[in-house]
Amino acid sequence: MKNHKSLTIEGLTDKGPSKIALMVASEFYRAAAGADYPADVASCFKRARELMGVLETIPLPEDIASDLRSIYTACRETLLDKVARQPSEEVKEIAEDFAQRFDLFGKRLAMANAA
């Protein structure tokens, strides 16, 4: 993996979709925390997108997959590149929103796997 040198796709898929969604959330939280540093934000966004790419290859419950579509559309690389160049308060707000949404998806996926 280009942006996660110590991880492999197989290793990630073994963790399961809920952990991957939480890892995506973590990258967005990290971007929010570093909103004053555009290069750091861009790196966090790239790592989040890479993890999202792995998540999208894993079969998910239909209701969760359907709900994820909108956030995947919002997290297109071109849009995230634009967000990374916004004032830090806007970056923080948007990154925190994405983080919270992926955090929720991680919890939903964990509950779905437990059922």
Side-chain angles (χ1 to χ4, degrees):
M1 295 188 59
K2 184 177 181 181
N3 297 301
H4 289 92
K5 306 260 187 246
S6 63
L7 297 175
T8 64
I9 293 172
E10 296 80 21
L12 276 172
T13 55
D14 287 346
K15 290 180 184 295
S18 63
K19 295 257 195 260
I20 298 170
L22 294 175
M23 291 171 73
V24 173
S26 177
E27 291 297 344
F28 282 119
Y29 281 125
R30 190 173 291 142
D36 291 328
Y37 307 97
D40 291 348
V41 169
S43 293
C44 291
F45 285 173
K46 285 179 183 173
R47 288 191 301 270
R49 292 265 316 140
E50 185 172 63
L51 291 166
M52 290 168 61
V54 174
L55 183 60
E56 114 184 293
T57 67
I58 299 172
L60 302 174
E62 185 57 39
D63 62 323
I64 295 174
S66 178
D67 291 345
L68 271 172
R69 283 187 197 106
S70 66
I71 193 167
Y72 268 76
T73 300
C75 291
R76 287 191 319 264
E77 187 173 3
T78 54
L79 291 178
L80 289 178
D81 287 345
K82 289 178 184 175
V83 169
R85 294 190 301 269
Q86 298 301 311
S88 62
E89 283 304 311
E90 287 180 43
V91 170
K92 184 176 181 180
E93 182 180 328
I94 292 167
E96 283 178 348
D97 177 58
F98 288 152
Q100 290 167 0
R101 292 167 72 182
F102 273 100
D103 204 11
L104 176 64
F105 283 119
K107 291 173 183 167
R108 285 178 63 193
L109 285 163
M111 289 187 334
N113 286 340

